[in-house]
Amino acid sequence: MAPPVVAVILAAGRGRRMGRDKAFLELGAETAVERLVRHCREAGCDAVRVVRQSGAEPLPVTLRDLQRVEVDSEEMIVSLRAGLAELLCDGLCGVLVAPIDYAMVSAKALGAVVQELRSAAAEPGTRVVLPLCRQRPGHPIGLTAGILDELQHAADLREIVRRDPGRNRAVAVDDGWVLRDLDTPEDLSAAQGALRCAGMTATELMARHRSRRSYLPLGVGDAQLRWLVDSARHASTSAFLQACAVVAVRDPERKAAAARLCADQRQIHEAPMFLAVCADLHKVAAACRAHGGALDPSHLELLVEATVDAALFGQNLALAAESEGLGICMIGAARNHPVELARLLDLPEHVYVVFGMTVGWPADDPLPRQRMPLAAVLHDERYHHEDTSAWLEAADGRMQDWARAMNERDAGSDAKPIDETRGWTDRMWWLCGRGQPPKGRAGLPDELRELGIYTPPPRPAEEGGR
Ligand SMILES: Cc1cc2nc3c(=O)[nH]c(=O)nc-3n(C[C@H](O)[C@H](O)[C@H](O)COP(=O)(O)O)c2cc1C
């Protein structure tokens, strides 16, 4: 029989920041401790121990046969030493150190650590096995048996990991939960949201999209924000310009000020977070300066590239958020007062907010808005414009159907009845066909010029006048 790997689940903390015992957090149909035990077993651990604070609530009945170790301290190293007691015997392969905070980590990722631990233990020397996601080390950590003695004298686990990087082994995993602990109620919301959407494919998520304009009074935590942005920033980017950035606004006062600049839309006030998605040529300009040159903002192409970069990044971000159960609404009104918004967010020169995005836990349930027929978008070999009138008719009908359904179900939208007679073509005429600048944004070229993102070259007549 192969030497055993034992999982030691550290669940002795009082969960102060979470406000409750983390072992009992609800993760889908099970508690955190049940989930972590199940995953450790599925990952190939031969035995599982759980360390608890003495006097803490008993484990769920499903885990009553599990070996439970009690401690009087909340220090992780004390828990770990207690969990290892009597394990320091010959024939042990190693230990998977699994803090309860990492109960979201998949059995697959845990299995990768356990497998690496087994192969590391077969070699001479002592080893630490770390799961590595996107080049960052996470948890749970594997320790080969030879290293366990060191724990008796170490101040904490970090000290062991840092002592001799040469003996550490990384195992690459795709599971971002190795980097995201369950520390705060926001982290728990994120975990629960992700579980609700688990198993949904990217195409399912796309087709389920609806803009959400009402939110629960629940925050979006730092770890989730970092993960979503870290995912979204892998979008394609013109010429590798990477001309995008996002400012996350969660401070209520600054968010209220941003809302005022964006037509005072209610969802910005209500959402816990407002993201300002920026086209960002600041970094490109700095690169040009570093090489003795200067960015010339008179090229429309640069404005288009940076704006496209921001849009691709923003849509990636929206989809990432929706994949964890969050709701979003993009906010084009961020271009109502671009200069003032740039000042509020301290944007450097050559940066503007292309659109905002409210993000939060949705409290509304709008009916999906049917898009115009696929044939209007997908053309075989050439653009089939001869069918235009049929698409417009369909688009009108779909918009009116949606208005009728919303009026019937919710007495309208945002407590206002929707005009069922107005179709899509009527709306497009209103927005774009009356000789007015769309949404009254006549000042946008001047404002973009002021922000240094686009300076239209002077027209010949203007040039002559100089
Ligand atoms: C760039 C952009 C800006 C938008 N700006 C706003 C906005 O300021 N306020 C708003 O309520 N919705 C805004 N929307 C959401 C659109 O109204 C919405 O996507 C569209 O009506 C289709 O509805 P759906 O997203 O629910 O499918 C914006 C969407 C995009 C892509």
Side-chain angles (χ1 to χ4, degrees):
M1 207 179 90
V5 170
V6 176
V8 176
I9 294 181
L10 306 175
R14 293 193 197 280
R16 278 192 190 81
R17 278 158 61 88
M18 183 63 78
R20 50 199 279 223
D21 187 342
K22 292 183 193 172
F24 290 90
L25 300 177
E26 307 83 15
L27 296 179
E30 51 195 351
T31 59
V33 66
E34 285 169 311
R35 180 182 166 91
L36 193 49
V37 169
R38 180 169 61 79
H39 282 182
C40 287
R41 286 177 173 152
E42 286 171 16
C45 293
D46 301 279
V48 181
R49 291 179 160 194
V50 180
V51 183
R52 298 283 284 155
Q53 184 76 218
S54 50
E57 205 177 317
L59 293 175
V61 277
T62 49
L63 302 179
R64 289 283 156 81
D65 58 339
L66 212 68
Q67 211 179 345
R68 175 184 164 132
V69 180
E70 298 209 336
V71 289
D72 284 319
S73 165
E74 281 195 84
E75 278 196 53
M76 190 193 195
I77 192 76
V78 176
S79 283
L80 188 52
R81 281 189 205 121
L84 293 174
E86 296 146 36
L87 276 181
L88 305 175
C89 55
D90 286 346
L92 180 71
C93 169
V95 170
L96 183 70
V97 182
I100 192 69
D101 309 54
Y102 291 88
M104 280 296 288
V105 177
S106 65
K108 187 175 165 206
L110 293 182
V113 177
V114 170
Q115 206 176 354
E116 192 66 28
L117 191 57
R118 289 196 194 281
S119 76
E123 294 166 11
T126 54
R127 300 273 178 226
V128 177
V129 177
L130 302 160
L132 198 71
C133 179
R134 298 187 187 168
Q135 313 301 325
R136 291 203 297 275
H139 289 273
I141 291 172
L143 301 173
T144 59
I147 217 167
L148 299 180
D149 266 343
E150 289 182 35
L151 282 171
Q152 304 307 322
H153 314 289
D156 56 25
L157 191 55
R158 200 173 309 155
E159 191 186 310
I160 305 272
V161 173
R162 290 186 178 165
R163 190 166 283 166
D164 176 6
R167 67 185 178 175
N168 294 357
R169 273 207 189 181
V171 54
V173 297
D174 291 325
D175 184 355
W177 289 103
V178 302
L179 306 174
R180 296 168 65 177
D181 62 352
L182 296 174
D183 196 31
T184 63
E186 286 83 11
D187 298 331
L188 177 61
S189 300
Q192 291 172 334
L195 286 172
R196 279 196 299 278
C197 298
M200 231 184 268
T201 62
T203 47
E204 270 177 283
L205 280 165
M206 289 173 197
R208 282 170 62 102
H209 160 79
R210 293 160 292 157
S211 293
R212 313 302 283 262
R213 296 182 176 85
S214 182
Y215 302 96
L216 300 172
L218 255 176
V220 176
D222 292 340
Q224 187 174 29
L225 171 63
R226 281 181 64 85
W227 177 252
L228 298 179
V229 175
D230 189 38
S231 304
R233 72 196 176 96
H234 292 90
S236 296
T237 159
S238 312
F240 208 40
L241 287 179
Q242 307 185 68
C244 63
V246 61
V247 181
V249 180
R250 285 177 288 182
D251 171 69
E253 266 177 43
R254 184 173 284 125
K255 192 163 64 63
R260 283 193 289 278
L261 295 173
C262 300
D264 226 7
Q265 295 188 49
R266 194 177 53 107
Q267 67 266 34
I268 308 176
H269 290 284
E270 206 173 299
M273 181 158 76
F274 174 76
L275 298 178
V277 179
C278 302
D280 174 7
L281 290 172
H282 162 72
K283 292 166 280 198
V284 174
C288 294
R289 274 197 306 277
H291 287 268
L295 181 94
D296 177 359
S298 71
H299 299 294
L300 179 62
E301 173 64 6
L302 276 179
L303 173 69
V304 172
E305 283 181 323
T307 304
V308 169
D309 268 18
L312 298 181
F313 164 73
Q315 175 56 27
N316 251 9
L317 190 50
L319 204 56
E322 289 174 339
S323 79
E324 298 204 347
L326 288 163
I328 66 103
C329 180
M330 293 187 181
I331 304 290
R335 296 188 304 277
N336 284 6
H337 303 285
V339 174
E340 284 166 77
L341 187 58
R343 274 192 207 118
L344 177 73
L345 304 177
D346 205 14
L347 301 186
E349 199 187 7
H350 312 304
V351 182
Y352 87 105
V353 180
V354 180
F355 54 89
M357 198 189 306
T358 53
V359 183
W361 301 101
D364 58 356
D365 184 23
L367 293 168
R369 302 191 78 167
Q370 296 302 321
R371 301 311 197 238
M372 61 171 73
L374 179 61
V377 180
L378 174 61
H379 298 272
D380 201 14
E381 302 299 341
R382 66 168 192 85
Y383 197 110
H384 291 268
H385 44 79
E386 64 276 14
D387 299 331
T388 304
S389 49
W391 307 330
L392 299 192
E393 203 179 310
D396 276 345
R398 288 174 187 199
M399 193 148 152
Q400 287 160 335
D401 288 348
W402 178 79
R404 256 191 303 279
M406 285 295 285
N407 284 341
E408 224 167 84
R409 200 195 68 171
D410 297 346
S413 170
D414 209 7
K416 280 189 257 127
I418 309 168
D419 184 350
E420 295 175 16
T421 64
R422 291 194 69 190
W424 184 79
T425 50
D426 182 20
R427 184 167 164 74
M428 292 309 109
W429 161 76
W430 177 259
L431 281 174
C432 316
R434 298 176 302 129
Q436 315 271 349
K439 304 189 181 155
R441 289 189 194 131
L444 193 58
D446 285 340
E447 285 158 322
L448 294 182
R449 183 200 301 260
E450 195 172 335
L451 294 171
I453 187 101
Y454 179 53
T455 310
R459 293 197 186 130
E462 288 172 5
E463 224 165 7
R466 271 190 198 164

